[in-house]
Amino acid sequence: MNELHLTSLRARKARLAVKVSLTGGKGTLVVALLMIAVSILLIRTAGDQHWGYALMALGLLAAIWYLWVRRDLENLPPSATPKSLDDILEPKFLASFKQSDTQLSPQRAWQLAAAQWQTRFLCNRLMLAPDIIAQSLSTVLADMTQVWQQAQQLQAVSGSPELNAGTVATTLLITSEPVKALLTQMKLKPEDVMEVYGWLKRLERYMKQPKPYFGGIGRDWATGYTPYLERFGQNISNTIELGGGHFHTLAHNDVLDTIIYNLGQGNGGVALVGETGVGKTSLVYALAERLLEGRDKSLQHYQIVSLSASVIISSAKDKLESLLLTLLSEAIRAGNMIVFLDEAHLFFGEGTGALNVAQVLQPILQKHQLKIIATFTPNEFQGLRTANNAVTTSFTAVTINEPSPEVTLNILEDTALTFELQNKNTISYQALREAYRLSGEYMQEDAYPGKAISLLQQAAAYAEQGIITDRSISLAIEKTRGIKVGTAGAIEVDTLLNLEERIHSRMINQSQAVNAVSAALRRTRAGVATTKRPVGGFLFLGPTGVGKTELARSLAATYFGDEKQMIRLDMSEYQQASDVERLLSDGSDASKSLIMSIREQPFSVVLLDEIEKSHPNILNLLLQMLDEGKLTDKNGRPALFNSAIIIATSNAGSADITERIAAGQNLDNFERPLVDKLISQGLFKPELINRFDEIVLFRPLNQQELGQVATLMIKEVNTTLATQNIAVQLTDRALALIVQKGYDPQFGARSMRRVVQKMVEDTMATRILRGEAKPGQIVTLDINDLGAA
């Protein structure tokens, strides 16, 4: 169906309806009513009634005109048996067509669609410039045939009875090859256009829904007198009613049915158990709206009131139990109150600002005197079960899981519309997509959709010209978490391309290791490397004191911006099988585990020192970490390592490396023989070795390199002394003595720092205190000036 009849009755009515709306249809009704009122007054009071009847006739004609406009012109449903496009086009879109548009090109169709709000919605969300899209579209009339056909197919799939501008615009975006090429340049796919089209269709359905009716006075009278609940609680049902409904995509319809069933059966308490951010509180708001609609007869006229532990504590002072009993008694007497305890662990003596009301609530729950909904995280519910099993058995536990990625994105889209009203910003689809991705990577401690919504809120502060973009999301993560997530900028590109040089400004030699980790970072920041595995996984082998740990520290400082961006574990402390649990602790036992650390600081160097000393079960965890980029805590929640660099160090094979260097040989081509020997000795499994991106051999430092290490350490001393405007320098003989004293064949340069401290720092401290080193002075130290080491 490709024909368009712009002279049809429906097309003419559509154009007339637009003209009438511009002149003000409601004004006609006001004039009609005034004319009728005046005519009645004239008929009753005036001697000559002709003018009164004439005026009434005019008023009735105006009223008839108004009713025709409202009932016919402004209500033009599509034809049940359409024969041409004008039978199914949305009236306002149809009215925008001119007589010459009987045949039109894709470019002209876009220009007409772009004037409608649906197309503006698509363009604003996808960050598209309508004029640029128009320039990319065909001007050939025959090309429109396929567009009309695919638009009608899309209309049928969406379930819409009318073909509107949004559907036509979407079709043009996904069928035009030049436009698709333009979208590709913007890192958009046809699937993204279709996702935003689905968002538009949901919005259209919301707009067409009548305002819900929530029961009126009859429901309100059923509540009873509850002054204390009104004072100390929040009536969620009233909040929903005043807001005209709870605007969001419901992620847990099946769970909602379960809650209603348990409450309706007289089971007094329902515990919603799920991770922070999974949507437990939103589910209670959705329940309140459903109860207001009166669809569930077992809970008809019930309302939900929320109690806050902090509010009760701050108000009750020394009469806490008395106030709580009063609140619960009011709810019981009302007979139609459901009490909602958000963050319910605070009501059972768990956490800061908590109160313990278990003795008060337990008999109420057991006797089913009051319907109570409580929310817990899995850890909180398990902790309550351990401390007071009798209370938890009074609740029916309902597990709330994260919604699917598709539903989470829908929730983000719907929530974005509410945020736009609040913040007066436009939120792009790219921002929502990035909020989902980055919150998953860098906010692992919380669950979807809450963490993505939270990130979206934070991004409002970084809106660009009133638009929240994907860059706004990246900036929100970078500013709040201190990590780099955006595309490499000009300054960072320079850092990446010259990373080896910058690292060597902090550490000496070991070029192979420095080159390997630098290349890994460049791959990741350029978007070349896989996002599932860690940025890089390296095994550093070599003697003590040759720079293995220093390279990890230098990498954190040079690229990640701070040495604190490093998670360091001494694996000699994890030699027992039971130590696996310490690594995977979720924090419920108050310990700081590897999983907790990476969730708080996902963009880090993870340094596993002396890995060969750990238990074999822990080496199996390392295998999973390198292969899948994640570990799972004891509650089944994953922690992601795909933004971290994993460095494992080992002294295994040190003797072989030292012996080879002492014999005047280099380490080229020595990696494979050494690794094979370590595998044959049972120190490492082949499958673990194969998971590392590179095995890097560190050789002992020679005398010249040790002198450079000492020079770097003196530079650190001068950085400290700079606050007093004092500097120190060493003669060649003094530097040689420090190198001699600081080198230990067994421990490399590890004792160098102790020697510098005793021979240089102690000497300078004494001179400063004696007044021999003054601001603006450069102190030169020779052999005789150095302290004893």
Side-chain angles (χ1 to χ4, degrees):
M1 186 165 55
N2 304 312
E3 294 182 357
L4 182 60
H5 299 153
L6 296 178
T7 58
S8 68
L9 179 60
R10 188 169 185 268
R12 284 179 285 151
K13 282 185 175 181
R15 289 192 292 272
L16 181 58
V18 171
K19 293 178 181 178
V20 170
S21 65
L22 291 175
T23 59
K26 290 184 178 180
T28 303
L29 177 62
V30 173
V31 171
L33 293 176
L34 285 174
M35 292 172 70
I36 292 172
V38 172
S39 68
I40 293 173
L41 183 63
L42 289 173
I43 291 171
R44 288 186 176 182
T45 60
D48 187 357
Q49 298 181 349
H50 295 292
W51 287 107
Y53 286 117
L55 191 59
M56 178 177 287
L58 291 174
L60 290 173
L61 286 174
I64 292 171
W65 168 264
Y66 171 78
L67 291 173
W68 179 63
V69 169
R70 290 297 305 273
R71 299 296 178 88
D72 189 23
L73 284 188
E74 293 182 0
N75 183 25
L76 296 174
S79 173
T81 56
K83 297 179 180 179
S84 57
L85 288 168
D86 49 284
D87 286 335
I88 60 172
L89 283 173
E90 188 265 333
K92 288 187 178 179
F93 186 35
L94 176 61
S96 67
F97 284 67
K98 295 181 179 180
Q99 293 291 343
S100 58
D101 290 327
T102 302
Q103 291 186 327
L104 66 167
S105 66
Q107 186 182 84
R108 175 58 180 161
W110 174 265
Q111 291 169 344
L112 291 169
Q116 304 297 315
W117 74 269
Q118 296 96 333
T119 305
R120 291 196 296 272
F121 180 93
L122 291 170
C123 290
N124 289 341
R125 296 307 177 277
L126 291 167
M127 304 291 291
L128 301 177
D131 292 343
I132 295 178
I133 298 295
Q135 293 171 12
S136 304
L137 287 167
S138 168
T139 57
V140 179
L141 299 180
D143 291 345
M144 196 61 196
T145 301
Q146 183 182 5
V147 174
W148 284 128
Q149 291 173 348
Q150 295 199 22
Q152 291 171 68
Q153 293 173 7
L154 186 57
Q155 172 202 353
V157 171
S158 69
S160 176
E162 296 177 330
L163 181 59
N164 66 16
T167 302
V168 173
T170 300
T171 305
L172 290 167
L173 289 173
I174 63 177
T175 57
S176 168
E177 292 301 326
V179 172
K180 286 197 285 187
L182 184 63
L183 293 176
T184 300
Q185 295 176 12
M186 300 176 64
K187 300 181 181 179
L188 290 170
K189 300 177 181 178
E191 295 92 319
D192 297 320
V193 178
M194 290 303 300
E195 177 64 35
V196 177
Y197 176 70
W199 184 6
L200 170 64
K201 285 299 166 184
R202 285 200 314 279
L203 177 58
E204 289 177 354
R205 289 194 292 270
Y206 294 145
M207 293 171 65
K208 291 178 180 178
Q209 286 178 356
K211 186 176 180 180
Y213 173 70
F214 292 136
I217 297 176
R219 189 219 68 212
D220 294 336
W221 281 357
T223 303
Y225 185 56
T226 55
Y228 278 88
L229 283 174
E230 292 174 7
R231 178 180 174 187
F232 296 104
Q234 179 199 358
N235 192 308
I236 294 175
S237 301
N238 287 345
T239 301
I240 294 292
E241 187 170 9
L242 291 173
H246 188 47
F247 182 75
H248 80 133
T249 296
L250 183 58
H252 305 289
N253 265 314
D254 54 338
V255 177
L256 192 58
D257 291 334
T258 301
I259 297 169
I260 290 172
Y261 173 80
N262 281 284
L263 292 174
Q265 291 298 309
N267 300 336
V270 173
L272 305 182
V273 183
E275 298 293 348
T276 301
V278 80
K280 301 186 294 294
T281 303
S282 292
L283 188 58
V284 174
Y285 273 75
L287 172 63
E289 179 175 6
R290 179 160 160 178
L291 297 184
L292 285 169
E293 292 171 352
R295 289 189 284 143
D296 303 284
K297 300 304 180 183
S298 62
L299 297 174
Q300 195 165 22
H301 300 316
Y302 268 85
Q303 298 186 45
I304 301 178
V305 61
S306 174
L307 296 181
S308 167
S310 58
V311 171
I312 293 173
I313 290 174
S314 62
S315 303
K317 299 181 181 178
D318 58 342
K319 298 181 180 179
L320 180 61
E321 186 172 335
S322 174
L323 174 58
L324 188 66
L325 282 171
T326 300
L327 291 169
L328 297 177
S329 296
E330 278 192 358
I332 293 171
R333 285 197 305 270
N336 67 334
M337 283 292 181
I338 300 173
V339 172
F340 173 44
L341 307 179
D342 203 2
E343 297 186 316
H345 66 287
L346 296 177
F347 287 88
F348 297 98
E350 298 289 334
T352 304
L355 59 145
N356 197 335
V357 296
Q359 298 303 317
V360 176
L361 282 174
Q362 186 173 333
I364 293 174
L365 287 168
Q366 290 176 340
K367 295 177 183 178
H368 299 172
Q369 293 176 295
L370 181 64
K371 301 182 188 300
I372 296 177
I373 301 175
T375 64
F376 300 88
T377 66
N379 285 344
E380 292 164 357
F381 196 66
Q382 182 58 43
L384 180 60
R385 176 175 289 159
T386 301
N388 193 334
N389 187 56
V391 172
T392 55
T393 55
S394 301
F395 283 102
T396 300
V398 178
T399 301
I400 312 298
N401 297 314
E402 283 188 327
S404 67
E406 295 78 15
V407 173
T408 299
L409 189 56
N410 287 349
I411 293 172
L412 268 181
E413 291 165 353
D414 292 351
T415 303
L417 297 176
T418 303
F419 286 174
E420 288 182 345
L421 292 174
Q422 295 171 348
N423 302 319
K424 308 304 180 184
N425 288 324
T426 297
I427 301 176
S428 70
Y429 167 74
Q430 291 92 322
L432 301 182
R433 188 177 59 184
E434 197 73 348
Y436 178 84
R437 183 180 73 86
L438 293 182
S439 63
E441 290 188 21
Y442 301 110
M443 301 171 71
Q444 299 174 31
E445 63 275 17
D446 294 331
Y448 285 121
K451 60 184 177 184
I453 292 173
S454 175
L455 180 54
L456 196 60
Q457 288 175 313
Q458 296 170 19
Y462 306 99
E464 301 173 358
Q465 297 179 340
I467 302 174
I468 297 177
T469 65
D470 52 349
R471 174 172 165 77
S472 306
I473 302 294
S474 298
L475 284 174
I477 282 285
E478 291 181 1
K479 299 298 183 182
T480 58
R481 301 249 165 178
I483 53 182
K484 298 176 183 293
V485 296
T487 304
I491 297 176
E492 189 185 351
V493 166
D494 179 68
T495 300
L496 286 167
L497 294 177
N498 300 284
L499 196 55
E500 291 90 338
E501 180 182 345
R502 293 173 183 267
I503 292 177
H504 279 309
S505 68
R506 287 181 51 101
M507 68 171 293
I508 303 303
N509 207 301
Q510 310 303 356
S511 298
Q512 182 187 4
V514 173
N515 293 343
V517 295
S518 299
L521 277 174
R522 282 192 285 267
R523 287 194 301 270
T524 299
R525 298 298 286 145
V528 175
T530 176
T531 59
K532 293 183 178 180
R533 301 180 70 242
V535 173
F538 306 98
L539 176 61
F540 290 175
L541 299 175
T544 297
V546 296
K548 299 190 297 294
T549 302
E550 182 58 31
L551 175 54
R553 186 180 292 112
S554 299
L555 187 60
T558 304
Y559 181 73
F560 297 151
D562 196 322
E563 287 189 12
K564 294 179 181 179
Q565 294 294 122
M566 183 170 76
I567 301 169
R568 181 176 181 178
L569 296 178
D570 183 352
M571 303 312 293
S572 64
E573 299 177 2
Y574 296 86
Q575 299 187 24
Q576 306 299 320
S578 58
D579 291 330
V580 171
E581 188 172 342
R582 282 201 293 135
L583 279 177
L584 301 181
S585 170
D586 58 1
S588 58
D589 54 0
S591 64
K592 187 66 174 291
S593 66
L594 174 60
I595 279 205
M596 293 292 290
S597 298
I598 201 65
R599 282 174 178 161
E600 294 175 2
Q601 195 169 297
F603 207 67
S604 306
V605 174
V606 177
L607 178 63
L608 307 175
D609 263 337
E610 299 187 285
I611 189 68
E612 77 281 4
K613 295 182 180 179
S614 60
H615 191 273
N617 289 356
I618 291 178
L619 293 181
N620 292 335
L621 288 180
L622 179 58
L623 183 67
Q624 179 186 347
M625 187 194 310
L626 292 169
D627 195 33
E628 302 175 10
K630 66 180 181 181
L631 291 178
T632 304
D633 66 24
K634 60 184 182 182
N635 286 318
R637 289 184 61 212
L640 304 182
F641 289 80
N642 54 354
S643 298
I645 291 180
I646 312 298
I647 297 177
T649 73
S650 174
N651 295 332
S654 297
D656 299 271
I657 293 174
T658 302
E659 182 180 341
R660 188 177 179 89
I661 295 299
Q665 298 176 296
N666 58 41
L667 298 180
D668 295 344
N669 303 319
F670 185 53
E671 172 196 323
R672 190 71 259 171
L674 178 60
V675 168
D676 289 342
K677 181 177 180 180
L678 297 179
I679 291 174
S680 66
Q681 292 174 345
L683 289 174
F684 297 110
K685 294 181 180 180
E687 55 266 30
L688 176 61
I689 292 295
N690 290 334
R691 292 305 190 279
F692 287 106
D693 294 318
E694 282 200 48
I695 292 108
V696 183
L697 306 185
F698 284 67
R699 63 173 178 78
L701 300 176
N702 56 37
Q703 290 290 319
Q704 180 183 359
E705 291 164 348
L706 285 170
Q708 295 173 354
V709 171
T711 301
L712 287 178
M713 292 182 179
I714 297 301
K715 184 178 179 180
E716 292 178 8
V717 174
N718 277 327
T719 299
T720 304
L721 291 173
T723 58
Q724 302 182 60
N725 197 20
I726 298 173
V728 61
Q729 63 183 17
L730 303 180
T731 64
D732 291 342
R733 293 195 310 164
L735 181 60
L737 178 62
I738 287 176
V739 171
Q740 178 187 343
K741 295 282 188 180
Y743 177 66
D744 187 318
Q746 183 177 359
F747 296 105
R750 181 151 291 180
S751 60
M752 183 72 72
R753 190 167 300 280
R754 177 181 58 81
V755 171
V756 169
Q757 184 181 39
K758 288 184 175 294
M759 300 184 75
V760 178
E761 293 182 12
D762 288 357
T763 298
M764 288 302 298
T766 300
R767 291 198 176 193
I768 289 172
L769 291 173
R770 289 176 177 173
E772 297 172 1
K774 299 178 180 179
Q777 186 176 358
I778 299 176
V779 179
T780 301
L781 300 180
D782 200 357
I783 290 180
N784 297 330
D785 300 315
L786 299 177

